[in-house]
Amino acid sequence: MCGIVGFVGHEEAAPILLEGLSRLEYRGYDSAGIAVYGQEDGLQVYKAKGRLKALCDLVDNGAAVHGTVGLGHTRWATHGQPSDLNSHPHVSQSGRIAVVHNGIIENYLTLRQRLQARGIHFVSETDTEVVAQLVDYYYKDDIMDAVVKALSQVEGSYALGILCIDCPDQIIAARKDGPLVLGYGDGCNFLASDVTAVIEHTRDVSYMEDGEIAVLTADSIKVYDSLLNPVEKEHFTVDWEISAAEKGGYEHFMIKEIMEQPDALRKCLFPRIKNHKVVLEDLSLDEEYIRSLHKIDIVACGSSYHVGMVSKYFLESLLRIPVEVSLASEFRYCDPIVDEHTLVIVISQSGETADTLAALRQAKKLGARTLGVVNVVGSSIAKECDDVLYTWAGPEIAVATTKAYSTQLGVLYLLGLHFADVLGRLSPDRYDTLVRQLLLLPSCLEQVLEQKENIQYLAFHYFNHESIFFIGRNIDYAMGLEGSLKLKEISYIHSEAYAAGELKHGTISLIEPGTLVVALATYGKLFDKTMSNIVEVKSRGADIIALTTEEHTAAMESQASGIILVPELDPMFMPSLAVVPLQLFAYYVALNRGCDIDKPRNLAKSVTVE
Ligand code: M6R
């Protein structure tokens, strides 16, 4: 939800912190701040409400701040509205301790009251200020001792960066349920919520675990467990280029990431198909376990949940094993029925979504086997699952997910085919056809992307609508959920996705002359049924944009004012193709409405609070 960056070295810290924050701004963007310690100027704290640019202007892009040690933060407000005062870093009353935080201190009110009773005065409404005051309260002459004592009082989640003016050559980091990466530089070291903020400077990183505390100086990073026993960290080398996290000539990250989808899918799928067979080397589930499965539970949030909704249709059809799909925020509180014969698949781009992480932990506690489908390497969900299949989509920066959705679906296809093979559910011919079609997906996606101008034209025509419906049946309905979310998320247009057959049970009353209905009709078996529903809304005055295959163009022409065609593959692969025009439609509608596409209001990329 928030982005943290820390630097300690021999160069001016402020420009490095600001540059790091610019790469983390997608994590939260309602205010930003930095704290830098300089030999001559002491602790300098600058904060500004609004986008990072406001802070950059305030500090002359860092030139106005001197010192070689510092922390930076970009915020997505939880406690206290976005304001200069509530922005991080927060400084203790004595001015000795500065703190940046990602997460929520759940018992902050109790702690705050206790500290207030001891005469400590608070200046912000945030939960984070409690940490700064508490560390200061315990600080006598040993900052590590103070941090450990303070953390033992704190309940909730945190990724913390701490700076103490009495130890001006170091920063301290601590983690519980919030991502923190340590970057090992040459004569300097880094701390960040995400590798994107450090790879300009180093590719040598390690990932902090829950309960760990790290001390960073210019020459070393020392990591300890919660009892201050030293911990040896495994190092990882980041293998993607910084350009992957830059716009590269595109106006927005979202359109860049939409266009990257064919390549992202190639990277996700091709290495896992050998001699026309799906080979999941990173999976430890053995055949005996797969044969013993009674149920698959898919648990996720937002778009990742929508991938689960689509997957349910094809997994059940391929495997004949019941598949339940749950929103993680519901699963964790609904007393789920899972046991050792249940495979719980958690899907998450960030690997840090708090609800999904909690659901995963619950599933493990109940004895289920867990498998993560995750994009961010080394993230909490990836580390805690029994197995992980990475989506290999590369960094996704736009808040609205696109290539992560496509590659998550890609992984679920691979998994479905692998399980079906083990269970002997497919004839050799059918298996071979499906694998061949899977290999065709990236090039088919390229064909879909060639229709960009047509979709741009339709978006220009309809961007003023205040309400847009998506209807479809079966797998088209599941895909419509994502089309609708994409649209509302970035264009702020009210939108609903409905199972087309369900309209007549209530929702059709909302259709009036001029209502835009995006009709999804790629599922050939139910085309005629969907067509009847299209006619029903059309006869009540709706305008129709249809998404279908070439075979159905003629039938659609009499009903729809706009038609988007996608190549025809097996029905299970159609959502993979059809979701792309919906992403483009949402993008161009939002562009016409002048929305802030990469950073939509009230949202953040990684939702690490409940
Ligand atoms: O990182 P995750 O996949 O766990 O995130 C889940 C949702 O927050 C995410 O998919 C969200 O719905 C997207 N912004 C939608 O575009």
Side-chain angles (χ1 to χ4, degrees), residues 500-521:
E502 185 65 12
L503 279 170
K504 57 186 176 290
H505 297 293
T507 314
I508 200 163
S509 65
L510 294 173
I511 304 292
E512 53 187 12
T515 305
L516 179 62
V517 174
V518 180
L520 310 170

Side-chain angles (χ1 to χ4, degrees), residues 123-265:
V123 294
S124 79
E125 302 159 89
T126 64
D127 53 337
T128 305
E129 192 183 347
V130 157
V131 180
Q133 305 286 20
L134 202 58
V135 172
D136 197 332
Y137 174 75
Y138 285 119
Y139 178 53
K140 304 293 175 245
D141 51 12
D142 182 345
I143 184 63
M144 284 298 272
D145 179 60
V147 169
V148 170
K149 283 190 174 130
L151 294 182
S152 72
Q153 303 293 305
V154 161
E155 288 164 20
S157 58
Y158 50 77
L160 290 166
I162 301 169
L163 185 60
C164 172
I165 60 167
D166 292 347
C167 323
D169 57 347
Q170 69 180 41
I171 48 179
I172 294 173
R175 164 192 163 131
K176 178 172 170 274
D177 293 339
L180 269 185
V181 177
L182 301 168
Y184 302 80
D186 189 7
C188 58
N189 285 307
F190 302 84
L191 169 69
S193 300
D194 181 338
V195 281
T196 49
V198 304
I199 60 163
E200 181 92 328
H201 309 282
T202 178
R203 291 171 175 279
D204 181 9
V205 300
S206 63
Y207 300 95
M208 286 185 73
E209 305 281 344
D210 280 351
E212 287 181 349
I213 302 175
V215 181
L216 291 82
T217 64
D219 305 318
S220 71
I221 299 183
K222 295 198 170 113
V223 182
Y224 304 90
D225 67 14
S226 55
L227 300 172
L228 294 189
N229 300 308
V231 174
E232 206 54 53
K233 294 300 289 179
E234 189 181 351
H235 285 230
F236 295 86
T237 304
V238 181
D239 62 1
W240 45 266
E241 296 304 317
I242 186 71
S243 58
E246 289 172 340
K247 284 190 200 149
Y250 286 96
E251 196 176 346
H252 296 100
F253 279 109
M254 185 178 176
I255 188 72
K256 175 182 178 240
E257 288 160 6
I258 289 175
M259 301 306 286
E260 279 173 356
Q261 289 179 104
D263 274 343
L265 258 187

Side-chain angles (χ1 to χ4, degrees), residues 4-19:
I4 290 179
V5 60
F7 171 79
V8 47
H10 303 291
E11 294 162 62
E12 291 284 21
I16 294 171
L17 295 173
L18 292 173
E19 187 250 346

Side-chain angles (χ1 to χ4, degrees), residues 156-158 175-179 208-210 299-301 327-329 331-333 344-365 370 372 374 378-385 606-610:
S157 58
Y158 50 77
R175 164 192 163 131
K176 178 172 170 274
D177 293 339
M208 286 185 73
E209 305 281 344
D210 280 351
V299 185
C301 302
L327 291 164
S329 53
F331 182 91
R332 61 186 293 193
Y333 295 119
V344 174
I345 303 178
V346 293
I347 308 179
S348 176
Q349 187 284 130
S350 62
E352 299 293 348
T353 302
D355 286 319
T356 312
L357 186 58
L360 161 67
R361 287 175 180 165
Q362 194 187 5
K364 284 182 83 167
K365 215 190 278 174
T370 57
V374 178
S379 56
S380 303
I381 292 175
K383 281 191 290 200
E384 290 191 29
C385 278
S606 177
V607 186
T608 53
V609 295
E610 207 180 317

Side-chain angles (χ1 to χ4, degrees), residues 51 251-252 459-460 463-464 487 489-493 585-601:
R51 295 293 159 87
E251 196 176 346
H252 296 100
F460 179 70
F463 76 89
N464 268 327
L487 185 76
E489 184 177 20
I490 58 167
S491 75
Y492 318 141
I493 294 178
F585 183 69
Y587 174 78
Y588 287 119
V589 166
L591 194 64
N592 279 301
R593 289 167 76 94
C595 297
D596 192 346
I597 293 179
D598 284 339
K599 299 188 187 80
R601 69 185 179 205

